[in-house]
Amino acid sequence: FNGHTEILVSFLLKGKKMVLLLKSGISVQANCHHEKHDIKHEQIFLYTVPIICSLFILTMPIFKSHDEHAHWHRVYEISTGNITTDVNESGGTISVLPKSAVCEDWKLMNYGKVISDIKNKIDNNDVTDDVYIVSASMYSPLQYSHMSIIVAVARIFIKYPLILAYIARIANMVICVILMFFSIKKIPFGKNILLSISYIPILIEGISSISGDGITFSVCLFFMAYLFNLVFNKDVKMITKKDKLVLVILSILIASC
């Protein structure tokens, strides 16, 4: 296994460079296929974006996305039941987590290190308060709730922090993709614009990594699509109690972000 590590790392690094090219190529092809074959925009989205996101998850080492290590610390903290990050006397954030679940230096993370550390187990008796969580502590717990719930359940069966981190990535991607899919499906106009937006690299990164940004964008997009559908869809005769409830819930989520 160790003898193939360098080959695997080299392959994955080359694959990461190809993801950006694939994004632009797939975006152009998607619009062409829609015009030629009359495929629905949401179907094109479903056939392409999850593949791009999966490639990102595979080619980008864990914790290498923007502040991903801080977001991970926050996700893990919430999964243990600590909803808010504590503040010390000097006004700084303080969080106590198992050392094995803490990313000490994200700059050192590469696939060689991921492979070597993947079998490290969580030791709840060996903890540390030297945890970088400042940037993520300003986010609402609701922005991490979908990942934290999945991680909390996964921790019952899985004791490997890096595997849990990848599970958090996948959970974020799945929820964001579902919201964006129904946004494109529901909006009565501008579907091609939403489809094109879904291929923006920084957005792909946000929904494919451990982050509170991807879910924020996805919820805002769904809120906009839902509202536009109520206002401009001629088939909608009246706003029901269900519609009002959905709008209230989405408004609360957006306001907390």
Side-chain angles (χ1 to χ4, degrees):
F1 180 77
N2 291 331
H4 297 285
T5 299
E6 293 183 1
I7 298 175
L8 178 60
V9 171
S10 176
F11 172 78
L12 290 170
L13 288 176
K14 290 179 180 178
K16 182 172 68 174
K17 295 178 182 178
M18 294 298 296
V19 171
L20 290 175
L21 296 175
L22 283 170
K23 288 175 186 175
S24 57
I26 290 176
S27 178
V28 173
Q29 288 296 321
N31 286 320
C32 290
H33 276 289
H34 170 70
E35 294 176 359
K36 292 182 179 180
H37 305 289
D38 197 30
I39 301 175
K40 293 181 179 180
H41 290 86
E42 61 267 25
Q43 291 178 324
I44 297 174
F45 172 86
L46 197 60
Y47 297 153
T48 56
V49 171
I51 295 175
I52 297 174
C53 292
S54 298
L55 287 172
F56 182 95
I57 290 174
L58 287 173
T59 57
M60 179 66 74
I62 196 72
F63 308 139
K64 293 291 279 188
S65 295
H66 292 96
D67 287 333
E68 189 172 21
H69 62 308
H71 290 299
W72 161 246
H73 296 157
R74 189 75 181 98
V75 167
Y76 193 92
E77 181 182 49
I78 295 173
S79 75
T80 62
N82 193 4
I83 304 301
T84 58
T85 303
D86 296 328
V87 179
N88 57 28
E89 294 179 356
S90 60
T93 57
I94 181 171
S95 180
V96 179
L97 298 177
K99 282 185 179 180
S100 53
V102 174
C103 174
E104 296 179 354
D105 190 349
W106 63 270
K107 295 178 182 178
L108 298 178
M109 292 304 298
N110 54 51
Y111 265 102
K113 185 168 177 57
V114 170
I115 292 171
S116 65
D117 294 350
I118 197 74
K119 293 183 179 180
N120 292 344
K121 289 187 176 183
I122 295 173
D123 184 1
N124 291 317
N125 295 319
D126 186 14
V127 298
T128 178
D129 60 359
D130 184 18
V131 180
Y132 179 77
I133 202 170
V134 176
S135 58
S137 63
M138 296 180 288
Y139 284 69
S140 166
L142 291 176
Q143 292 172 274
Y144 299 110
S145 58
H146 59 300
M147 291 181 283
S148 295
I149 291 172
I150 297 297
V151 169
V153 174
R155 279 174 44 233
I156 300 174
F157 310 98
I158 300 172
K159 304 300 180 184
Y160 305 99
L162 287 184
I163 294 178
L164 290 173
Y166 274 104
I167 289 175
R169 266 190 176 185
I170 295 170
N172 191 42
M173 180 195 77
V174 170
I175 298 300
C176 290
V177 164
I178 290 174
L179 286 171
M180 292 173 66
F181 169 81
F182 283 107
S183 298
I184 296 173
K185 182 177 181 179
K186 204 165 190 66
I187 198 167
F189 56 85
K191 294 178 183 289
N192 58 330
I193 296 176
L194 292 193
L195 179 62
S196 298
I197 289 174
S198 67
Y199 295 109
I200 296 175
I202 193 64
L203 175 58
I204 293 293
E205 181 193 22
I207 66 178
S208 305
S209 60
I210 303 172
S211 172
D213 300 324
I215 193 67
T216 300
F217 178 85
S218 301
V219 171
C220 289
L221 199 66
F222 186 71
F223 175 81
M224 180 184 70
Y226 201 95
L227 190 61
F228 281 9
N229 182 65
L230 291 176
V231 175
F232 297 104
N233 191 340
K234 295 180 180 180
D235 295 330
V236 178
K237 304 302 180 182
M238 62 179 295
I239 299 177
T240 64
K241 290 182 179 180
K242 174 188 172 183
D243 295 327
K244 293 178 181 178
L245 179 62
V246 171
L247 290 175
V248 168
I249 293 174
L250 292 174
S251 299
I252 293 172
L253 289 174
I254 293 172
S256 68
C257 293

